[in-house]
Amino acid sequence: MAKAQDYTAIMQDMMKAYPVDMSAMQDAFKTQADLSEKLSKVALAAAEKSTEISSVWTKETLSKLNAVSAAKTEPADYSKAMTDFATVAAEMAQQHMAAFAEVAKNVQTQTVELMMSAGKSAGEEASAAVKKATDDMTAAAKKASGQK
């Protein structure tokens, strides 16, 4: 009977000959976690500001509805109250939609800045990791071939 080849030992020997630096993976994870934290802060701040805008808009709308819901002496006064409310509601909509647009613009600007910064950092880290891996592989190959 032929002896079975021990592939586990072969793989272990191969991995020892070409060591892998896990610090690069840890650094990449930390960088990704930092980016996620910053993006979450941007999103949460935008959600908070949007909620404030919605709340103010609702309060203003409800206060303007008081005039509409009040009893009137003349039928034409109901029509005028509704027309006035529609005009004010349109103005409020324009104002608050502009505020929402400003929040969106700020989120977009901050996100682009964060992504540009992350891309630059990732490129620098990748370049350093590739250089280190190349140096390690060259050293391991020289060691395996008996060169100094």
Side-chain angles (χ1 to χ4, degrees), residues 23-33 125:
S23 66
M25 291 298 289
Q26 291 170 338
D27 290 344
F29 179 80
K30 183 182 180 305
T31 300
Q32 181 60 40
E125 289 173 9

Side-chain angles (χ1 to χ4, degrees), residues 46-64 92 96 99-100:
E48 183 178 345
K49 185 65 178 165
S50 295
T51 302
E52 290 173 14
I53 294 167
S54 293
S55 178
V56 168
W57 192 354
T58 301
K59 287 178 182 179
E60 289 176 0
T61 301
L62 292 173
S63 72
K64 301 300 179 191
M92 286 190 304
H96 291 99
F100 281 125

Side-chain angles (χ1 to χ4, degrees), residues 106-119:
N106 287 338
V107 167
Q108 181 182 22
T109 301
Q110 291 175 359
T111 301
V112 167
E113 287 172 359
L114 286 172
M115 296 306 283
M116 297 277 288
S117 175

Side-chain angles (χ1 to χ4, degrees), residues 5-83:
Q5 185 72 33
D6 185 4
Y7 289 103
T8 304
I10 293 171
M11 290 301 291
Q12 288 174 342
D13 290 343
M14 188 173 70
M15 293 303 286
K16 286 179 191 173
Y18 298 102
V20 177
D21 183 11
M22 291 305 290
S23 66
M25 291 298 289
Q26 291 170 338
D27 290 344
F29 179 80
K30 183 182 180 305
T31 300
Q32 181 60 40
D34 289 343
L35 176 62
S36 294
E37 179 184 2
K38 291 173 184 173
L39 288 172
S40 293
K41 285 181 181 181
V42 169
L44 291 172
E48 183 178 345
K49 185 65 178 165
S50 295
T51 302
E52 290 173 14
I53 294 167
S54 293
S55 178
V56 168
W57 192 354
T58 301
K59 287 178 182 179
E60 289 176 0
T61 301
L62 292 173
S63 72
K64 301 300 179 191
L65 280 173
N66 282 330
V68 174
S69 62
K72 314 282 189 264
T73 55
E74 296 293 325
D77 292 342
Y78 288 102
S79 176
K80 181 175 178 347
M82 284 301 295
T83 302

Side-chain angles (χ1 to χ4, degrees), residues 137-148:
M137 292 296 275
T138 302
K142 286 181 179 179
K143 181 179 177 186
S145 66
Q147 295 178 358
K148 290 189 178 184

